[in-house]
Amino acid sequence: MGDKLKQNDSPGVVQDFEEQERCIRLIAKELLSSDTVDVVIGFQEDDIGGSPIPLFARSPEQAEKLVWNENCWRNLAPYFKRFDGKVAVVAKPCDTRSIVNLIAENQLERENITIIGIECGGVLNRDGVLAHGCLGCTSTVPAIWDYPVAADGGKEFIGLPSPPSTDTFVDFNADSSREDRRNRFLREIDKCILCYSCRQACPGCYCESCFVDRKMTNWHQRDVDTGNKIAFHLTRAMHLAGRCVTCGACENVCPSGVSLKYIYDEINRFIEDQYDFRAGINADLPSAMNSFDQTDRDTGFLGGEGI
Ligand code: SF4
Ligand code: SF4
């Protein structure tokens, strides 16, 4: 067993990326040569030196280009909608939670997707440090899979520990006044330039016509002023309530360094507290936003009703 990464300060528990990559290629080649799937979506090296980019392998020969390493931070779920046939995907645990979510929301047929599920102890972002979204990760093993690829390259997940959470956002929100929380939120979104990359990267943002692109009502302007930023981020947060799978893809692509984890950790905590529900765990459960109960309370988050 190799010894390539010890990101999580857990002696003796390591992730062997080389062995995992070898297994991914073997599985992909088998799936393609047996015509079990039409395409395998995974990662390939970026020839000009960036983080690995998506690969859509349609033959065993192309599957030889699949790579897997600590820089594979992208969530590949947004690419599913490009394909009609049988698709296989290389999926980290957070990516598998977005697949569960897509199945639960009738966006994906389970029988049309083959999941090469990777045990993952965290990935590095574009700056080469542990991705913010990985801090306090809720599970290092896939929520759903067809072909398991354990941290040591075997078929039995070995129980890689999650990187510990060092964030204090939720504590801050729990302990602060409404005004402090609102100011904290406004300071964060002040950095936003309304490029909408976060929406593009998000596996939950699959509407063909996003509210910010609709011209008919013309109620959302593109000017980068605070009101438009509040409208975008709070509307998006409401749309993702009970659906965000904490994959961190939105924050990883943000060119302005907006801590979207700050917003989504809070709304995920809110949904867990209010509805005892976490997205992407069980495709048979209706999402929190699709279940109404007379006991549901009117309450706010990130500064409450007054924001
Ligand atoms: S809001 Fe961000 S963390 Fe949540 S599912 Fe979308 S991309 Fe992932
Ligand atoms: S990716 Fe960042 S800058 Fe772009 S809209 Fe999202 S939060 Fe704003």
Side-chain angles (χ1 to χ4, degrees):
M1 184 169 104
D3 187 8
K4 285 203 65 187
L5 182 72
K6 292 180 180 173
Q7 290 173 341
N8 41 41
D9 293 334
S10 299
V13 184
V14 296
Q15 186 169 357
D16 188 337
F17 285 102
E18 285 176 11
E19 195 57 27
Q20 287 186 305
E21 181 180 275
R22 194 182 68 78
C23 293
I24 290 167
R25 288 183 186 175
L26 275 178
I27 294 165
K29 285 193 277 189
E30 171 57 27
L31 288 170
L32 289 164
S33 58
S34 61
D35 285 331
T36 306
V37 300
D38 304 314
V39 61
V40 176
I41 307 176
F43 297 92
Q44 65 180 323
E45 287 299 355
D46 178 8
D47 290 341
I48 57 172
S51 310
I53 57 176
L55 172 69
F56 308 105
R58 296 178 184 277
S59 67
E61 293 72 32
Q62 288 177 344
E64 267 301 323
K65 292 173 72 180
L66 284 164
V67 299
W68 172 248
N69 57 52
E70 64 270 42
N71 300 307
C72 293
W73 52 263
R74 298 176 207 279
N75 184 336
L76 301 174
Y79 294 98
F80 294 160
K81 58 189 171 198
R82 282 197 196 174
F83 301 95
D84 289 329
K86 299 268 187 190
V87 174
V89 64
V90 176
K92 302 183 289 297
C94 48
D95 306 340
T96 63
R97 292 197 294 276
S98 45
I99 294 170
V100 168
N101 215 34
L102 291 171
I103 294 169
E105 295 179 349
N106 298 318
Q107 298 299 311
L108 195 60
E109 299 284 344
R110 178 66 182 95
E111 56 269 28
N112 286 342
I113 185 91
T114 300
I115 302 161
I116 304 172
I118 314 295
E119 187 169 16
C120 170
V123 288
L124 308 183
N125 67 15
R126 288 177 297 169
D127 298 325
V129 298
L130 192 64
H132 196 191
C134 298
L135 297 174
C137 170
T138 51
S139 177
T140 60
V141 299
I144 185 173
W145 70 89
D146 298 296
Y147 294 87
V149 179
D152 60 359
K155 293 181 179 170
E156 300 284 336
F157 297 125
I158 66 172
L160 212 54
S162 297
S165 176
T166 52
D167 272 339
T168 53
F169 292 145
V170 171
D171 291 344
F172 171 83
N173 283 327
D175 298 340
S176 307
S177 68
R178 178 178 294 181
E179 189 176 354
D180 284 348
R181 283 183 283 159
R182 183 177 59 185
N183 289 337
R184 174 70 183 78
F185 170 69
L186 292 176
R187 275 205 309 280
E188 196 59 55
I189 66 163
D190 218 21
K191 301 175 221 166
C192 175
I193 55 170
L194 286 181
C195 70
Y196 305 136
S197 298
C198 48
R199 174 197 69 179
Q200 293 301 108
C202 175
C205 281
Y206 54 71
C207 291
E208 287 188 9
S209 174
C210 175
F211 72 99
V212 295
D213 294 330
R214 288 181 199 153
K215 295 197 172 65
M216 290 301 284
T217 54
N218 206 25
W219 60 270
H220 184 83
Q221 307 294 317
R222 279 190 173 249
D223 301 351
V224 188
D225 72 33
T226 302
N228 287 335
K229 291 194 255 187
I230 290 173
F232 171 62
H233 284 287
L234 289 191
T235 309
R236 183 167 179 271
M238 281 191 288
H239 287 184
L240 268 300
R243 302 177 59 244
C244 170
V245 294
T246 62
C247 68
C250 50
E251 184 167 319
N252 287 340
V253 299
C254 177
S256 290
V258 178
S259 178
L260 293 161
K261 182 171 166 38
Y262 155 68
I263 299 173
Y264 290 95
D265 272 2
E266 176 65 8
I267 200 161
N268 286 334
R269 182 200 60 76
F270 176 81
I271 292 290
E272 267 193 77
D273 286 356
Q274 295 290 317
Y275 301 101
D276 193 22
F277 181 83
R278 192 185 297 167
I281 305 298
N282 185 345
D284 295 326
L285 286 179
S287 76
M289 298 307 281
N290 285 342
S291 338
F292 174 73
D293 190 292
Q294 292 291 343
T295 61
D296 287 356
R297 289 192 293 128
D298 283 339
T299 182
F301 86 114
L302 284 174
E305 296 88 342
I307 196 162

